[in-house]
Amino acid sequence: QKFQMMSEIKLPMKKVKAETQSPKNLIIFSKPKVGKTALLADLDNCLIIDLEGGTDYVDALKIKATCVEDIKAIGEEIKKAGNPYKYIALDTITALEDICIPYAEVLYSKKAMGKSWFKQAPDGSLAKDSGKAQYGNILNLPNGAGYSYLREAMTKIIEYVKALAPRIILVGHIKDVLLEKSGGEFTSGDLDLTGKMKRIITSQSDAIGYLYRKGDQNILSFATNDSIVCGARPDHLRNKEVIISEMTDDGLVTSWDKVYID
């Protein structure tokens, strides 16, 4: 195998400046009905791809998708329009996991081991000995074999969306996880995704913020502790809590400029 060499390599002799100070890939998760969608609706030039019907009650740049084919079709229209959005939010990636199951089955069916997944009977219906008929759902394959295809499907779709705008926001729900520490049990809040998928998505993010309400304010926390798993690479967000919105007499006032500073 031949490798193409770079035309010229120049080693840095001094520190190279950061390319950006704001997160390119942001994850926001919270309990239901805290105000994630309303917050996104107030972010200028942010398209919300609504996967759960959560935008019905807000004015926003929004479009609904119920399957992978919808997301791809939306992406093609965005490309035709010249990629006009600065931000694209997937609301929610918790729902995206379910949406990607049929796509994962298609990916599996293209492999040698999955060639009989959609096997047809002579009349064109699904054969009784097909994988789909036997297991119903790819996640029911023995030994959890189907989860790797779900991870592949989700990764492909998220990477597809990332190419549509400079900055991507993945919105998720919180999942309570029972942990043990110092002989006692406590509940920790984490992003509601399947194990390895959660690790892949969070490792590729620049900041993970937990959104919670305190009085009339919504706080976006990037401070990791025993109860909530979050964090951030950018200096202005690392271990910080940001008042991201506040309900006033004039309505909701958001402060996205505290997150996106450039």
Side-chain angles (χ1 to χ4, degrees):
Q1 185 178 2
K2 294 182 178 180
F3 295 92
Q4 185 177 358
M5 295 290 292
M6 295 173 61
S7 58
E8 186 178 2
I9 298 176
K10 292 185 178 180
L11 297 175
M13 294 296 117
K14 58 182 180 179
K15 289 184 178 180
V16 180
K17 290 186 178 180
E19 295 179 6
T20 181
Q21 299 180 66
S22 300
K24 293 181 180 179
N25 302 309
L26 170 65
I27 295 175
I28 296 176
F29 69 108
S30 76
K31 295 179 180 179
K33 306 297 185 293
V34 171
K36 297 186 294 293
T37 304
L39 184 63
L40 292 170
D42 206 47
L43 177 58
D44 187 46
N45 201 19
C46 176
L47 175 68
I48 303 173
I49 300 180
D50 182 0
L51 306 179
E52 286 190 338
T55 61
D56 288 348
Y57 299 97
V58 297
D59 298 334
L61 283 172
K62 58 185 179 179
I63 189 166
K64 290 186 178 181
T66 59
C67 59
V68 165
E69 289 74 18
D70 286 348
I71 296 173
K72 289 183 176 180
I74 291 167
E76 292 308 305
E77 292 303 313
I78 291 173
K79 292 176 187 177
K80 289 178 186 177
N83 298 71
Y85 304 107
K86 187 173 183 179
Y87 309 90
I88 292 180
L90 279 175
D91 187 9
T92 65
I93 52 171
T94 308
L96 180 64
E97 194 167 35
D98 291 331
I99 286 174
C100 281
I101 290 175
Y103 182 34
E105 292 180 344
V106 171
L107 295 175
Y108 176 63
S109 70
K110 293 179 179 179
K111 305 291 184 180
M113 65 184 67
K115 62 182 181 181
S116 64
W117 182 258
F118 292 121
K119 181 181 177 182
Q120 292 185 336
D123 63 357
S125 63
L126 196 65
K128 292 182 179 179
D129 61 343
S130 67
K132 180 70 173 173
Q134 291 181 67
Y135 296 103
N137 185 310
I138 195 172
L139 300 186
N140 295 328
L141 283 174
N143 303 315
Y147 283 92
S148 64
Y149 294 96
L150 178 58
R151 291 193 293 272
E152 182 183 354
M154 281 196 70
T155 300
K156 284 179 179 290
I157 293 305
I158 291 174
E159 289 302 314
Y160 178 77
V161 174
K162 283 181 179 180
L164 300 175
R167 291 170 176 170
I168 303 300
I169 304 172
L170 304 178
V171 183
H173 296 309
I174 193 172
K175 175 172 65 177
D176 289 335
V177 181
L178 189 64
L179 300 175
E180 185 175 334
K181 184 176 180 180
S182 302
E185 292 184 343
F186 71 99
T187 300
S188 175
D190 206 348
L191 184 63
D192 188 9
L193 282 176
T194 307
K196 288 184 179 179
M197 189 69 250
K198 177 185 65 183
R199 289 195 293 273
I200 291 169
I201 290 179
T202 55
S203 67
Q204 294 174 348
S205 69
D206 303 311
I208 307 167
Y210 173 65
L211 184 69
Y212 69 94
R213 186 171 293 161
K214 186 176 181 181
D216 291 330
Q217 297 177 334
N218 271 357
I219 314 296
L220 190 56
S221 175
F222 298 96
T224 297
N225 53 50
D226 282 346
S227 344
I228 299 294
V229 180
C230 46
R233 292 190 182 107
D235 287 339
H236 70 287
L237 298 177
R238 189 179 301 132
N239 291 320
K240 299 292 196 309
E241 291 202 334
V242 175
I243 300 174
I244 192 67
S245 66
E246 185 171 6
M247 186 58 69
T248 69
D249 293 338
D250 297 323
L252 186 69
V253 177
T254 59
S255 301
W256 279 108
D257 58 342
K258 295 178 181 179
V259 175
Y260 296 107
I261 61 175
D262 57 0

